[in-house]
């Protein structure tokens, strides 16, 4: 706080006194009075205990320069005071100036002048500390340079990050060639940034300390610096307005939706209100500080994909321009749209490679890498292909090792990472948005609230488990503390030292502080996201309440773990002092070596048990059948059990390896004291370590096998679920009158009657007349060759057929309609217009091609070998017959309404029949083609059901060879066969993929006589 005082300085007092004395002389002294100079002083104290910490990752930015500013009311960056460590005591400042405002400004300038240089560490981590009075936006930039400093960027793009100008020397990271490969460090110009809003610190901070447990830290905020936060920061600075939490939340949401799309945005529900709360993951070196959830993995894959593009700066500029214009993908600017397309290809490649990393072997990863390289460079040269193939095995090995390290560090389990990889791949198949997709609405916020609620609930469950672990650790701590202090003697000093060592080892393995910090940081993100939801609607208040409650509980866990760490550190110091005080170095070293070896033995037993469980579960999964729906469901359960068991096996081996490493440290310490039997201990532990490595490899192999079995079972279950629908559709089709012999006969009989009567009237030679057919005694007729009209009626059945025709060049166009009866009172109607005149007009237009089949009712078009009239039609030859009919069939159950279209090409003796419409609840289309040449007639039939399943029954063949085909349906966005079909004497027989054979009788699908 700045304390303002106004006072005369010694110089001012001296001047004033001199002026006072000279004033006593005569008026003739010609002395001119001088006004005293007034000086102002400002003093102030400052304590820097507001922590802002995070990591700069695109991969990791090492030794990068960190610049810290704040933003004024117009969004412009201005300097701000900060320190690189929390203040233990207040700093004092005092400045003089000719005005109070100048003095005050000088004090603030002095604070800023003392700002330190801050560089990131090897992981890209940085921490800065703001004045405890600070509130508002803090603008942080992190920069690496191609020249002039020691900054580096690590490549975490699987297909590489370009080429070195000069190949670096070969070492543990670089392989000595000019290609910048996955995991290698290189020099480049890159600047990333973040804007973090720091709220006013409340009086009651609930004892929350910084992420490092520093007691001097009043409040701690995560501010990771990533590609996405850089886009958000750029948008905020370009807005020209003040920045608060709401502005950051809106810019964050807009950025994610524009770049990744709404589906992917839902994966980021935990940090959607402030992207700086997560996503700082370098895929080449996952330290476990951040859990690899679906959303974090999506961000990491996006970042990795961008690093593999030709120019990160150009990509960022294009994306920012696209977002500002309202649409990044498909932007009107061709160059921006091209960047979006290029990014889609890159992120698809990354997602495919990561699935191979999470679920496959090194060979699988190598294959995925080479496919990604081919997709990145569609026409690579032979030299490029050879060069990449030569290195792909090494990159695959590095990628697999990076994944294993992520699991060992607790960022994920094998099972959770595999599930996340597949889910993220699906979400990133189509990134970005276009049109209305770029504007989020109520449905999105509802889905976001649901996703955020799941995140909060999961973290609350994790916190509950953590609290139990903390209680257990505190109890163990108390037990060891009881051994020290006044109870400590020469007799129990060695045991005390060993107990402290075991406790320390256990604490290192458990890493409770990191887990508490992780949940606390997550809760901060939840609260920010929930606040953004409440801004949209108060209906989401419960989500905010739950997130706030979690944050409060998590802050307690942070405080508890910090206190535990401090107490443990005190115990370690006491144990070290006890070794000297009681001269028990050798005895303590021996006991520690023995006790840590015992812990390793215990972990070995756990790993062996886990191996047996995994091996047994895998055997059960491998023996499972997937031939039926029930068996496939059981096989999926067994495979999932095997996946979990293999993942648990891998985790047990990881714990064993840690215990062995700790035991080796102790055994080597004992060896340095020339302890008896130390070398034997080391040899035994080394052998155990070798066996553990083999177990780890086995766990990895079993996991890959189990996961592939799970995928196969999931595929089988999904297929068999579709098969159930396929069978139901086949059954529905087989009972439809329109496809059975009954319906077919009704239409065919009508055609036979019409043909007979027309032939009969032609033989009579009259131009018009009425009467009763001699060939079909129940049918009366009335016709006029002058008007080209015909009416048939059946008084017994109530059936009727009417037709009106017109000569149109080389065509005879007929508009006709009918009401027919089939067996079992089936009613068949060929629908025509209200009047014959209108019906014929429509049919003439249809024949001329000016309207299509959807705009007519029932028409018949004969095409002759030349122009025809009533005078020459008898001598003309029909070369094509086409009919399109609006048909309604009612059988009392399903019925049918639709179009029946027929073409017959007399020149080639071929034709086709198309029936399309709705029967019951089924919308379907039947297409039949046939060819009758000198050889036996060959036919093909396709029945397609117009639903999401895409049911299609396809049959081809001829009478002698038989009619066979497939039943197809949509599965996994592709058509696949669900059975083979064969026409039988009275229907159809289908053999389904589950071995079930079903005969459908009275189905007349192919019948040339009709």
């Amino acid at each position: 706080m700045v304390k303002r005082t106004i006072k005369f300085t010694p110089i001012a007092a001296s001047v004033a006194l001199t002026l006072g004395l000279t004033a006593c002389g005569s008026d003739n002294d010609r002395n001119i009075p001088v006004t005293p100079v007034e000086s102002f002083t400002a003093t102030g104290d400052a304590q820097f205990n507001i922590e802002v910490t995070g990591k700069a990752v695109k991969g990791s930015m090492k030794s990068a320069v960190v610049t810290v500013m704040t933003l004024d009311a117009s969004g412009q960056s201005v300097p701000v005071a900060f320190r690189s460590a929390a203040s233990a005591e207040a700093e004092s400042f005092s400045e003089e100036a000719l005005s109070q405002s100048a003095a005050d400004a000088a004090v603030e300038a002095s604070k800023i002048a003392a700002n330190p240089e801050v560089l990131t560490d090897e992981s890209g981590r940085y921490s800065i500390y703001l004045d405890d009075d600070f509130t508002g936006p803090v603008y942080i930039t992190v920069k690496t340079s191609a020249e002039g400093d020691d900054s580096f960027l690590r490549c975490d793009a699987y297909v590489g990050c370009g080429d070195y100008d000069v190949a670096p020397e070969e070492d543990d990271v670089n392989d000595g060639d000019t290609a910048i490969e996955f995991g290698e460090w290189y020099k480049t110009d890159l600047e990333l940034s973040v804007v973090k809003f720091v709220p006013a610190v409340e009086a009651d901070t609930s004892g929350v300390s910084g992420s490092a447990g520093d007691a001097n830290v009043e409040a701690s905020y995560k501010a990771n610096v990533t590609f996405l936060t850089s886009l958000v920061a750029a948008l905020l600075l370009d807005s020209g307005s003040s920045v608060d939490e709401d502005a950051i939340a809106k810019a964050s949401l807009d950025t994610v939706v524009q770049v990744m799309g709404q589906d992917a945005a839902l994966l980021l529900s935990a940090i959607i209100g402030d992207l700086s709360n997560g996503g700082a993951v370098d895929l080449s070196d996952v330290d476990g500080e951040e859990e690899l959830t679906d959303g974090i993995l999506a961000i990491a894959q996006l970042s990795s994909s961008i690093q593999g593009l030709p120019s990160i700066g150009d990509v960022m500029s294009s994306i920012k321009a696209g977002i500002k214009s309202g649409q990044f993908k498909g932007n009107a600017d061709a160059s921006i749209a091209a960047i979006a397309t290029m990014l889609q290809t890159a992120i698809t490649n990354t997602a495919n490679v990561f699935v191979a990393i999470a679920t496959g072997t090194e060979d699988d990863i190598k294959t995925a890498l080479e496919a990604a390289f081919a997709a990145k460079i569609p026409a690579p040269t032979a030299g490029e292909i050879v060069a990449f193939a030569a290195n792909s095995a090494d990159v695959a090995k590095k990628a697999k090792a990076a994944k294993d390290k992520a699991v060992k560090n607790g960022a994920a389990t094998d099972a959770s990472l595999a599930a996340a990889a597949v889910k993220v791949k699906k979400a990133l198949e189509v990134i970005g948005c276009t049109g209305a997709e770029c504007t989020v609405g109520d449905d999105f916020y509802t889905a976001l609230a649901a996703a955020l609620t799941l995140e909060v609930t999961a973290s609350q469950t994790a916190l509950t488990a953590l609290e139990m672990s903390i209680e257990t650790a505190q109890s163990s701590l108390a037990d060891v503390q009881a051994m020290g202090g006044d109870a400590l003697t020469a007799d129990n000093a060695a045991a005390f030292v060993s107990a402290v060592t075991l406790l320390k080892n256990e604490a290192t393995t458990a890493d409770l502080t990191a887990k508490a910090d992780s949940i606390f940081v997550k809760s901060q993100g939840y609260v920010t996201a929930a606040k953004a939801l409440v801004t949209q609607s108060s209906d989401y208040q419960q989500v905010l309440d739950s997130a706030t409650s979690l944050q409060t509980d998590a802050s307690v866990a942070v405080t508890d773990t910090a206190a535990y760490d401090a107490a443990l550190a005190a115990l370690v110091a006491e144990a070290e002092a006890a070794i000297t005080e009681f001269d028990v170095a050798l005895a303590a070293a021996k006991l520690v070596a023995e006790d840590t070896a015992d812990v390793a033995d215990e972990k070995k037993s756990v790993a062996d048990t886990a191996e047996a469980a995994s091996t047994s579960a895998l055997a059960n999964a491998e023996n499972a059948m997937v031939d039926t729906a029930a068996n496939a469901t059981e096989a999926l359960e067994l495979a999932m059990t095997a996946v979990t068991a293999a993942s648990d096996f891998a985790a047990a081996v990881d714990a064993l390896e840690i215990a062995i490493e700790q035991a080796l440290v102790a055994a080597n310490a004992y060896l340095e004291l020339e302890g008896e039997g130390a070398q034997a201990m080391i040899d035994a532990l080394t052998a155990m370590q070798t066996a553990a490595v083999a177990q780890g490899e086995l766990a990895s192999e079993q996991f890959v096998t189990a996961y592939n079995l799970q995928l196969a079972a999931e595929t089988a279950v999904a297929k068999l679920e579709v098969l159930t629908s396929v069978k139901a559709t086949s059954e529905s089709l087989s009972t439809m009158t329109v496809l059975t012999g009954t319906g077919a006969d009704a239409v065919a009989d009508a055609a036979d009657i019409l043909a007979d009567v027309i032939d009969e009237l032609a033989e009579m030679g009259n131009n018009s007349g009425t009467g009763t057919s001699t060939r079909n005694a129940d049918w009366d007729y009335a016709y006029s060759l002058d008007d080209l009209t015909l009416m048939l009626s059946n008084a017994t059945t109530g059936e009727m057929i009417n037709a009106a025709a017109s000569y149109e060049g080389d065509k005879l166009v007929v508009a006709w309609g009918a009401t027919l009866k089939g067996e079992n009172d089936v009613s068949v109607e060929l629908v025509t217009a209200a009047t014959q005149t209108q019906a014929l007009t429509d049919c003439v237009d249809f024949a001329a091609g000016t309207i299509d089949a959807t705009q007519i009712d029932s028409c018949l078009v004969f095409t002759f070998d030349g122009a025809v009239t009533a005078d020459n039609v008898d001598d003309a030859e029909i070369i094509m017959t086409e009919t399109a009919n609006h048909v309604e069939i009612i059988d009392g159950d399903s019925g049918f309404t639709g179009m029946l279209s027929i073409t017959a090409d007399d020149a080639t003796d071929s034709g086709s029949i198309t029936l399309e419409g709705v029967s019951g609840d089924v919308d379907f289309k039947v297409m039949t083609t046939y060819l009758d040449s000198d050889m036996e007639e060959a036919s093909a039939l396709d029945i397609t059901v117009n639903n999401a399943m895409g049911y299609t029954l396809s049959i081809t063949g001829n009478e002698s060879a038989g009619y066979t085909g497939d039943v197809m349906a949509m599965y996994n966005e592709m058509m696949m066969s669900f059975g083979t079909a064969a026409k039988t004497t009275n229907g159809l027989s289908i053999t389904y993929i589950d071995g079930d054979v079903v005969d459908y009788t009275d189905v007349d699908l192919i019948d040339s006589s009709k």
Side-chain angles (χ1 to χ4, degrees), residues 967-1007:
V967 177
M968 311 284 290
M970 186 66 68
Y971 170 73
N972 198 23
E973 301 180 358
M974 295 180 62
M975 291 294 290
M976 68 160 286
S977 175
F978 282 85
T980 56
K983 191 176 184 303
T984 60
T985 302
N986 190 33
L988 191 70
S989 179
I990 300 178
T991 302
Y992 293 104
I993 57 174
D994 63 351
D996 196 9
V997 180
V998 181
D999 293 326
Y1000 303 97
T1001 59
D1002 191 31
V1003 180
D1004 196 5
L1005 296 175
I1006 299 179
D1007 189 341

Side-chain angles (χ1 to χ4, degrees), residues 213 466 470 474 511-517 554-567:
L466 176 61
I470 292 173
Q474 289 171 334
D511 205 5
L512 301 180
T513 298
K515 292 176 181 177
D517 279 340
S555 69
V556 173
V558 170
T559 303
D560 288 345
T561 54
Y564 174 83
D565 288 344

Side-chain angles (χ1 to χ4, degrees), residues 460-504:
Q460 186 62 64
T461 301
L463 180 59
T464 299
L466 176 61
E467 289 170 338
M468 294 176 63
S469 297
I470 292 173
E471 289 180 4
T472 301
Q474 289 171 334
S475 177
S476 299
L477 177 71
D479 291 341
V480 178
Q481 285 174 327
M483 297 174 64
D486 294 339
L488 189 59
T489 66
D491 292 336
N492 68 356
F496 174 69
V497 172
S498 181
V500 171
T501 302
L502 294 181
L503 190 65
K504 181 183 176 182

